[in-house]
Amino acid sequence: TDPEQKGAGGISMIAVPCDAKGIDRTPLQKMGWHCSDTAHLRFDGVRVPARNLLGREHQGFRIVMGNFNGERLAMSALALGFAEACHDEALAWARERRTFGEALVERQVIRHKLMDMRMRIASTQAWLDQLGDRIDAGDEGPDWVGHVCLLKNHSTQAMQANADAAVQILGGMGYMRGTACERIYREVKVMMIGGGAEEIMKELAARQLGPRAPPRHPPPRSSPSSCNCSRTCSSRRSSSTPCSASRSPPSRPIVWRAASRCAPNSSAPT
């Protein structure tokens, strides 16, 4: 809304009716989230009344940023639910499915996969509960924001790993439409990208939690008076050049001489 500002300062939020003249839609086919109506919108000379402005003019990006933290926390809770659904379906299948006369869950490798799934669920649940308690207490400072970014990555990675493990435990049935883990497997990437991709989350967390080293200040230049030489030297002419008399003397080279093992008449050097 402000051509002079190319960045966030020139963005405004405006409510545009879907039946406004000049709007054209093209549906987009996605890997997952088929229940979400996603389309490419084109605006050709669309006009809306000024009263449709949301918030203040040129301050729309603030509205977007204010929504991000809540969105990331909610997506973490969603990812946790998906991870639990994958575990529950895999456990039920492992108890029912029999191979070589025994239930699948009797195989040690299957039990270990299920325990890995439980471990990811428990760690995500504990982290989510902690951040939820903090926001209820009014703690939404930089540390909280940084941990929300990290939790969003952790929870979606737990979802990804559990979906993969569930499909593996179900085997061929996990590849069939109609199972929960097959659908969740297709939903993984949009959860890892939506609300901020993993790389963005890590960088935002790093800025909030501050792992970088403090800035290094260059040492002060030596002044001409710092030279203890009694004669006029280069350091009195230029403070950036050390006095040759004050330099440490070069270390004396060490010469190693090996005992001669040659014959007495040999002319080989020692």
Side-chain angles (χ1 to χ4, degrees):
T1 52
D2 186 357
E4 299 299 326
Q5 298 191 47
K6 302 299 182 182
I11 297 177
S12 298
M13 294 288 284
I14 301 174
V16 181
C18 294
D19 57 352
K21 183 179 180 181
I23 294 182
D24 182 56
R25 308 174 188 84
T26 302
L28 298 175
Q29 302 299 321
K30 307 185 299 295
M31 176 192 298
W33 269 12
H34 294 163
C35 61
S36 174
D37 184 13
T38 308
H40 184 200
L41 302 180
R42 298 182 181 86
F43 300 88
D44 184 10
V46 179
R47 298 180 63 86
V48 294
R51 65 176 180 272
N52 286 22
L53 177 68
L54 303 178
R56 298 176 59 185
E57 188 177 9
H58 311 318
Q59 298 297 317
F61 192 72
R62 291 180 177 269
I63 300 177
V64 177
M65 293 300 297
N67 179 65
F68 270 141
N69 291 328
E71 178 185 10
R72 290 161 185 162
L73 193 64
M75 292 187 73
S76 298
L78 287 171
L80 173 62
F82 287 136
E84 290 180 328
C86 289
H87 169 269
D88 294 345
E89 185 175 51
L91 178 60
W93 177 265
R95 287 172 172 171
E96 178 184 350
R97 175 67 170 163
R98 300 184 65 83
T99 60
F100 303 100
E102 290 185 318
L104 196 61
V105 75
E106 297 300 325
R107 312 296 176 186
Q108 184 186 64
V109 66
I110 299 300
R111 294 196 300 271
H112 288 186
K113 283 182 179 294
L114 291 168
M115 291 305 99
D116 286 340
M117 298 169 78
R118 288 302 318 170
M119 180 175 62
R120 299 184 192 102
I121 291 170
S123 62
T124 304
Q125 181 72 69
W127 203 349
L128 181 64
D129 290 345
Q130 181 196 58
L131 293 180
D133 290 342
R134 288 178 63 179
I135 193 175
D136 287 342
D139 180 7
E140 299 182 61
D143 182 81
W144 182 85
V145 173
H147 278 278
V148 168
C149 295
L150 296 179
L151 174 62
K152 198 264 182 180
N153 280 359
H154 181 80
S155 60
T156 52
Q157 288 172 7
M159 172 187 172
Q160 181 185 42
N162 281 16
D164 183 80
V167 171
Q168 189 72 19
I169 291 173
L170 268 68
M173 184 56 65
Y175 197 67
M176 299 294 109
R177 291 290 179 97
T179 59
C181 61
E182 181 276 333
R183 175 178 175 177
I184 294 173
Y185 198 93
R186 290 184 284 108
E187 313 287 6
V188 165
K189 294 313 296 182
V190 70
M191 293 290 290
M192 302 181 84
I193 296 172
E198 286 189 342
E199 296 79 6
I200 299 298
M201 293 297 93
K202 291 178 182 179
E203 183 59 24
L204 288 178
R207 294 179 183 179
Q208 299 298 325
L209 302 178
R212 292 182 176 178
R216 298 180 61 184
H217 300 286
R221 291 185 176 184
S222 59
S223 60
S225 59
S226 63
C227 177
N228 296 324
C229 181
S230 60
R231 65 182 185 276
T232 303
C233 63
S234 58
S235 67
R236 298 187 181 275
R237 295 190 299 271
S238 174
S239 61
S240 62
T241 305
C243 173
S244 59
S246 62
R247 296 175 185 167
S248 300
S251 59
R252 185 175 181 180
I254 299 176
V255 179
W256 297 92
R257 293 184 180 274
S260 174
R261 296 184 180 180
C262 302
N265 297 331
S266 174
S267 60
T270 60

